[in-house]
Amino acid sequence: MAINFFLKDGLHVDPSTLQLLQNSANLPMVGKPLYGVVSDAVYISGQHRIPYIAIGAFLQAVSWLAIAILSPSGISIVTLSLCLLLSNLGASIAEVANDAIVAEIGKQPTSPPKKSQSYSSGELQSFVWIASSAGGVLGNLLGGIAINSYGPQAMFLFFSLAVAVQLFIIITVRESALNLPKSSSTVGIRKQLSELSVALQKPEIAYSITWLAASNAIIPSLTGTMFFYQTQYLNINSSVLGISKVFGQAAMLLWSVIYNRFLKSVPSKKLIAAIQGVMAAFMLSDVLFVKGVYRSMGVPDLLYVIVFSGLLEVLFFFKMLPFNILIAQLCPSGCEGSLMALVASATALSFIVSGYLGVALSSFVGVTGSDFSGFPCALLIQAVCTLLPIYWSSCIPNDKKPESRSKNE
């Protein structure tokens, strides 16, 4: 959010340029399979997860500190893009190692061990989502207020210091304390790539990942245009957008709890398809919002932005929780890092393609920083594209793991 305001108010970019920069900065996320293979195969001081999280934190701290030090007049778009690329490279490496830890520990027996007992389906992943969402609620609440009070660059400095603290905490942790499964440190990258290739030859894994990527890539993203519409046309300030993001993160937190308690037995195909349909409904609602229908009904713009825009922003990620749990269950032992990284890479690449399609769509309908007359048409096209992947949802296998476990137990 701070970057968006910095680009709009500090560097005075237009909506298309902002969205191009947003998505281009995510290119390091596409390399996640490589980072996953390396973390699976290459050990540093006898550890193959914690050191990579530390490296990722270091790269983020350095890049954000550089952005914070440079003034808006002294930083170019090229320099800012390079710093964002470096930051996202660090974030990608850290996320890959973290996802691998979650996938590995999620397969380990509980303590004290019991006969044929392991973590229940998605238990650890759900807990991670709950913790992450709780952090997102606090971060966005403080971020929206801080940007409004101190400006984006103060946020960059604070974030660099926060990541530096994280780095110092990480280097005090030994990987042996995580009770990860024992694995040989001489596996080698070639063998790891071979194991990943074998995993991808399973139709249920290959088809699922393909569907996930296609379901995101086919939807033209209009986040940059919507940001300009809300802040430039409706004059909504950062504190309101911060509250909107808080509402979205709170919804993710609630979703994690609801899924963990009530929806784990629902087939993944039905659940993900339902979420896709809800996304399309919210996008149709955005059409009415931009046309002023809700405003004429007495619904304030601020209320809609906080509730509906906040929910739509996180709805894209609702389907990731059941999907990640499904992939973690299907993943062969020994390539958790590389396979989960491949999923993350496919997701990142699909969002980049989605962003580029959104820029093309905005240009096609004639949306600019001051002219939003074609915006409703773009949102309607976006909603139609969101419905299309539902017809391909048969590619996703039903999750029957919980049933088989209960019979064995």
Side-chain angles (χ1 to χ4, degrees):
M1 185 165 58
I3 281 291
N4 287 345
F5 277 101
F6 184 73
L7 288 169
K8 182 176 77 74
D9 300 327
L11 301 183
H12 307 291
V13 303
D14 56 43
S16 296
T17 303
L18 183 144
Q19 190 156 318
L20 280 171
L21 289 173
Q22 281 179 331
N23 291 278
S24 298
N26 289 327
L27 285 172
M29 301 285 186
V30 180
K32 280 188 172 183
L34 175 61
Y35 319 145
V37 169
V38 172
S39 70
D40 281 339
V42 180
Y43 284 59
I44 302 175
S45 299
Q47 305 178 97
H48 72 144
R49 302 301 184 204
I50 294 294
Y52 293 98
I53 298 179
I55 292 171
F58 174 77
L59 293 176
Q60 291 180 81
V62 169
S63 58
W64 286 108
L65 182 61
I67 298 175
I69 292 175
L70 295 171
S71 63
S73 59
I75 188 172
S76 66
I77 292 180
V78 174
T79 303
L80 178 63
S81 299
L82 291 175
C83 290
L84 292 177
L85 286 168
L86 182 64
S87 173
N88 282 335
L89 174 62
S92 302
I93 295 172
E95 286 174 8
V96 164
N98 181 72
D99 290 343
I101 289 174
V102 173
E104 287 178 322
I105 296 180
K107 291 184 175 182
Q108 296 306 298
T110 55
S111 181
K114 296 181 180 180
K115 181 180 179 181
S116 301
Q117 183 178 4
S118 62
Y119 286 96
S120 61
S121 176
E123 181 181 345
L124 186 60
Q125 287 90 341
S126 298
F127 174 79
V128 170
W129 270 66
I130 291 171
S132 178
S133 299
V137 169
L138 178 61
N140 283 296
L141 180 61
L142 296 177
I145 298 173
I147 292 172
N148 199 39
S149 302
Y150 304 108
Q153 283 194 283
M155 288 296 299
F156 303 152
L157 178 60
F158 175 79
F159 190 73
S160 66
L161 294 176
V163 180
V165 171
Q166 180 191 19
L167 171 61
F168 286 115
I169 294 175
I170 288 169
I171 60 180
T172 64
V173 177
R174 294 298 300 174
E175 199 163 292
S176 56
L178 301 179
N179 193 31
L180 297 180
K182 302 299 180 182
S183 177
S184 172
S185 60
T186 60
V187 171
I189 293 179
R190 181 174 296 182
K191 183 177 180 182
Q192 200 65 49
L193 286 171
S194 176
E195 291 181 358
L196 176 61
S197 176
V198 171
L200 291 177
Q201 289 177 16
K202 292 186 175 182
E204 61 270 24
I205 293 179
Y207 293 164
S208 296
I209 295 176
T210 301
W211 182 92
L212 178 69
S215 70
N216 294 326
I218 199 175
I219 305 171
S221 174
L222 299 170
T223 53
T225 306
M226 182 60 78
F227 174 78
F228 263 78
Y229 177 78
Q230 293 173 350
T231 58
Q232 196 83 1
Y233 186 80
L234 299 180
N235 295 317
I236 294 175
N237 62 36
S238 61
S239 59
V240 174
L241 294 184
I243 295 173
S244 173
K245 290 179 180 293
V246 167
F247 192 90
Q249 291 292 330
M252 285 189 66
L253 177 60
L254 181 61
W255 163 248
S256 304
V257 175
I258 292 175
Y259 176 83
N260 194 44
R261 290 196 172 189
F262 306 109
L263 299 177
K264 287 190 297 184
S265 60
V266 178
S268 300
K269 178 169 60 179
K270 292 183 178 180
L271 188 58
I272 295 174
I275 295 172
Q276 195 78 14
V278 172
M279 287 166 51
F282 270 70
M283 290 172 183
L284 287 174
S285 179
D286 272 356
V287 177
L288 301 179
F289 166 64
V290 173
K291 282 182 169 293
V293 174
Y294 294 126
R295 195 179 308 121
S296 65
M297 295 170 59
V299 178
D301 291 335
L302 295 181
L303 180 61
Y304 184 90
V305 169
I306 289 173
V307 178
F308 288 90
S309 295
L311 281 174
L312 181 57
E313 186 172 339
V314 298
L315 271 175
F316 281 91
F317 303 100
F318 271 34
K319 61 185 178 184
M320 291 304 300
L321 177 55
F323 188 88
N324 282 345
I325 291 172
L326 174 64
I327 292 296
Q329 291 170 348
L330 298 174
C331 177
S333 180
C335 63
E336 290 86 357
S338 51
L339 184 59
M340 297 307 293
L342 181 64
V343 173
S345 172
T347 303
L349 181 60
S350 66
F351 279 129
I352 291 173
V353 173
S354 171
Y356 291 159
L357 285 178
V359 171
L361 178 59
S362 295
S363 300
F364 177 74
V365 299
V367 175
T368 64
S370 57
D371 182 10
F372 295 94
S373 58
F375 196 24
C377 178
L379 289 169
L380 184 60
I381 294 173
Q382 183 188 48
V384 173
C385 292
T386 306
L387 286 172
L388 294 178
I390 297 177
Y391 294 100
W392 315 326
S393 59
S394 58
C395 297
I396 306 172
N398 289 331
D399 185 355
K400 299 180 180 180
K401 291 272 181 180
E403 293 181 11
S404 59
R405 261 185 202 157
S406 61
K407 290 177 182 180
N408 291 334
E409 292 175 358

